[in-house]
Amino acid sequence: MSGDMLNNPDEVVANSSQKPQSHGNDRLGVEDNSLMQACWGRVNQRMRKDIGDAAWRHWIKPLRVSRLEDGTLTLEADSTLARERVSSQYADRLRVISSAEFSDVLPVIRRIEVRLVNGQQAVPNKPHRLSDQSTAPKTEFSASQESSDLMAGLDPRYTFANFIVGKPNELAFAVARRTAESEKVAFNPLFLYGGVGLGKTHLMHAIAWHIRQQSPSRKVLYLSAEKFMYRFVRALRFRDTMSFKEQFRSVDVLMIDDVQFISGKDSTQEEFFHTFNALVEGGRQVIISADKSPTDLEGMEERLRSRLGWGMVADIHPADYELRLGILQSKAEHAPVKIADKVLEFMAHRIVSNVRELEGALNRILAHAMLIGREITIESAAELLADLLRASSRQVSVDSIQKRVAAHYDVRVSEMFSARRARNIARPRQVAMYLAKNLTSLSYPDIGRQFGGRDHTTVMHAVKTIDSLSKSDGQLAEDVQLLKSILAG
Ligand code: ADP
Ligand code: MG
């Protein structure tokens, strides 16, 4: 368990390529059976969502998972009808979902087989009760099988080509590309961080795909932090930390996604730290993502935090309007139905939370357009997306109003709190106060406090001023209207 064991990666790479995971198979077999059951549980949840409750209850729920061998996942059905129906109608979907759910912990699944099991007709030669350890599936990872396994969790759509670059993500994109393209270790570690749904996972997969294509011999391992912990805990439980370490020591590029989830778990942190050091010292590329910068990662040991920040740290900012629109346009372009620019602009204005939600909204619009066969208007889009729009208008905070207004008038956000009274600064500040009064439920004194501790009378005055000015000043009225619709609609 000490870091020393990891200090000579080259030696171990040779070992591990001769006999990958050579020991521990018997013991792992038992564990794999319960893993298989756990994975099957997840497959069930996904199926239920995908095919609906009724069909799931009828066809999928009664199935039992019995074994996974030679890439075939065997399921048991208790009637001929069920077997036929599942094989003909659900096998493909089951295979895809199972591959995704099982990919990280068990061998790859190429086929689904449904067997009939009812009393006497039980499967002939090999009786297999789930609790029977001797029939637990064998897990034999060959090197190549393992490497295709490694790629199994990667989303084929997450490539550099499909990544739209804008100001908020250009740095992250550039360093990700550099890292993927350079044969030598570029930045170590590369640390990507940003809020949820902003493209961290996309960029990591893109790096993996690129390396895979450009230099197929380099071994890339992509893994969520949770999976990392999962494997580690499993290794601990079966006193199999050696093969755990070997697995990591033999990679050229290690990517751990969402590393914040390692926070707080001491032994995993420790192990992660050693693995990390060993790889970096051995000249392997390490790529990390998290929702916060290294220094802000709570519950993480100081030495690990500071170590994580040694290489290149690149953040992804929330997508701005231009980027949101760009992403929508590029995704809409490949869609089978055309969505009017106006509608896309409307969406880009109003769905500000993150790119994932933006994608979801577009998919909903597209699905509707295809079903109805009528053109989508702003009104119908607003109706279709009502829940999302409400959700984002609920999020209106004084903070976001200040940022938005500052950006609109091209003044610093700090001017919102400053004492400066020049017109070109005071006016935007008043607009922001006016919007705060109109879009939030805060009182005048509350708002005053959030604008650098101003008096409530100042806020009242601002609201009155903007109200009356916008009656005579068309430009101002337009600005206010636009800001309002962007912020809350
Ligand atoms: P994160 O890992 O940061 O939570 P993801 O990488 O999962 O976010 O991104 C969420 C979704 O948004 C994915 O479907 C991804 O393809 C898409 N996405 C994010 N940023 C971009 C971008 N710049 N261009 C195209 N798609 C993007
Ligand atoms: Mg992610």
Side-chain angles (χ1 to χ4, degrees):
M1 279 289 302
S2 85
D4 296 336
M5 293 201 308
L6 286 164
N7 277 344
N8 196 345
D10 291 332
E11 192 188 329
V12 186
V13 168
N15 280 347
S16 76
S17 62
Q18 282 155 11
K19 269 185 130 194
Q21 292 216 343
S22 55
H23 53 281
N25 269 349
D26 297 344
R27 274 176 311 185
L28 283 177
V30 185
E31 169 72 347
D32 281 329
N33 197 21
S34 59
L35 271 178
M36 185 170 69
Q37 298 300 330
C39 292
W40 180 244
R42 292 207 302 269
V43 172
N44 258 282
Q45 285 170 12
R46 284 266 307 266
M47 284 299 285
R48 189 175 190 168
K49 266 196 214 132
D50 280 16
I51 68 176
D53 208 48
W56 173 79
R57 206 177 285 283
H58 207 77
W59 301 114
I60 308 300
K61 191 175 171 228
L63 298 172
R64 282 174 306 272
V65 61
S66 79
R67 70 161 157 264
L68 174 55
E69 214 167 67
D70 300 331
T72 300
L73 182 71
T74 306
L75 304 173
E76 297 174 345
D78 52 15
S79 74
T80 324
L81 180 64
R83 189 190 59 190
E84 296 309 314
R85 181 60 83 89
V86 173
S87 312
S88 64
Q89 206 170 328
Y90 299 116
D92 273 344
R93 190 186 288 270
L94 277 169
R95 186 180 51 76
V96 172
I97 295 181
S98 305
S99 301
E101 292 300 339
F102 285 59
S103 68
D104 200 64
V105 284
L106 292 171
V108 72
I109 295 170
R110 285 184 218 89
R111 230 167 63 81
I112 298 279
E113 186 177 304
V114 189
R115 295 190 176 200
L116 185 61
V117 179
N118 49 5
Q120 301 318 313
Q121 292 185 44
V123 184
N125 301 325
K126 289 183 179 169
H128 49 274
R129 275 174 292 122
L130 289 177
S131 54
D132 188 344
Q133 300 177 359
S134 65
T135 61
K138 269 186 282 169
T139 46
E140 280 166 23
F141 285 83
S142 70
S144 66
Q145 187 180 7
E146 193 192 19
S147 99
S148 64
D149 259 8
L150 297 182
M151 305 305 280
L154 295 179
D155 193 316
R157 293 166 307 172
Y158 292 179
T159 58
F160 284 126
N162 288 341
F163 192 84
I164 309 299
V165 187
K167 267 233 153 51
N169 60 22
E170 63 187 358
L171 174 67
F173 177 81
V175 293
R177 259 217 99 96
R178 253 298 273 299
T179 308
E181 279 166 359
S182 79
E183 288 284 333
K184 291 213 197 73
V185 168
F187 318 102
N188 221 358
L190 168 58
F191 191 102
L192 297 171
Y193 78 92
V196 62
L198 299 183
K200 302 182 294 292
T201 299
H202 188 134
L203 280 179
M204 290 179 112
H205 288 202
I207 296 174
W209 287 123
H210 189 96
I211 295 177
R212 168 81 160 179
Q213 211 173 27
Q214 186 181 272
S215 23
S217 62
R218 286 177 87 193
K219 193 167 158 192
V220 183
L221 177 57
Y222 166 88
L223 199 69
S224 67
E226 283 161 310
K227 299 255 166 80
F228 179 88
M229 291 192 316
Y230 189 64
R231 286 192 181 186
F232 177 61
V233 170
R234 181 173 98 158
L236 273 186
R237 184 146 25 106
F238 290 89
R239 299 197 178 75
D240 202 16
T241 48
M242 269 310 287
S243 79
F244 175 82
K245 287 179 203 294
E246 274 173 25
Q247 220 174 11
F248 289 99
R249 274 180 292 180
S250 65
V251 306
D252 298 300
V253 182
L254 174 66
M255 303 193 202
I256 305 242
D257 204 352
D258 287 324
V259 83
Q260 71 272 11
F261 291 125
I262 287 185
S263 305
K265 317 248 163 52
D266 282 354
S267 58
T268 337
Q269 265 193 47
E270 180 82 12
E271 188 50 44
F272 175 65
F273 187 67
H274 289 316
T275 307
F276 177 89
N277 278 335
L279 288 169
V280 171
E281 278 157 26
R284 317 306 172 88
Q285 177 72 57
V286 179
I287 304 169
I288 306 284
S289 88
D291 64 349
K292 298 189 190 68
S293 76
T295 41
D296 290 337
L297 282 174
E298 284 152 25
M300 191 161 280
E301 257 186 82
E302 173 54 33
R303 62 172 182 164
L304 184 50
R305 262 188 293 167
S306 83
R307 191 73 181 78
L308 288 174
W310 279 12
M312 166 62 85
V313 177
D315 56 344
I316 308 186
H317 298 276
D320 55 14
Y321 173 74
E322 274 71 35
L323 181 55
R324 294 197 297 270
L325 185 60
I327 290 170
L328 284 173
Q329 282 169 338
S330 113
K331 300 206 188 250
E333 198 182 310
H334 304 289
V337 284
K338 173 127 182 56
I339 304 292
D341 284 340
K342 261 196 162 59
V343 174
L344 298 180
E345 284 163 20
F346 168 76
M347 292 170 66
H349 267 309
R350 293 288 304 278
I351 299 172
V352 299
S353 47
N354 63 53
V355 181
R356 186 173 298 136
E357 201 156 292
L358 200 61
E359 278 187 336
L362 181 62
N363 288 338
R364 203 188 287 179
I365 297 281
L366 287 170
H368 192 81
M370 283 192 285
L371 272 172
I372 303 298
R374 217 183 308 127
E375 203 178 333
I376 298 283
T377 60
I378 293 191
E379 288 72 32
S380 56
E383 214 166 285
L384 280 169
L385 304 174
D387 55 332
L388 291 178
L389 302 181
R390 255 198 307 283
S392 46
S393 63
R394 241 188 285 120
Q395 286 167 11
V396 179
S397 62
V398 173
D399 187 51
S400 61
I401 293 172
Q402 290 168 333
K403 285 193 184 127
R404 184 42 81 174
V405 172
H408 183 81
Y409 288 102
D410 202 18
V411 301
R412 291 166 188 275
V413 180
S414 60
E415 299 291 12
M416 294 287 152
F417 325 109
S418 77
R420 288 177 61 190
R421 301 171 74 165
R423 167 71 61 85
N424 65 333
I425 285 161
R427 189 69 81 223
R429 195 189 293 131
Q430 288 179 320
V431 168
M433 289 180 191
Y434 171 87
L435 290 171
K437 186 61 201 160
N438 275 272
L439 300 176
T440 73
S441 52
L442 296 173
S443 66
Y444 288 117
D446 280 342
I447 296 172
R449 265 191 291 280
Q450 297 203 44
F451 281 81
R454 287 184 155 74
D455 194 77
H456 71 279
T457 53
T458 310
V459 184
M460 287 167 77
H461 176 70
V463 173
K464 245 193 235 147
T465 307
I466 300 302
D467 237 346
S468 66
L469 271 184
S470 50
K471 291 198 179 87
S472 53
D473 183 340
Q475 180 61 52
L476 180 68
E478 210 172 281
D479 285 351
V480 169
Q481 205 43 49
L482 179 70
L483 284 163
K484 231 187 206 171
S485 75
I486 290 171
L487 284 159

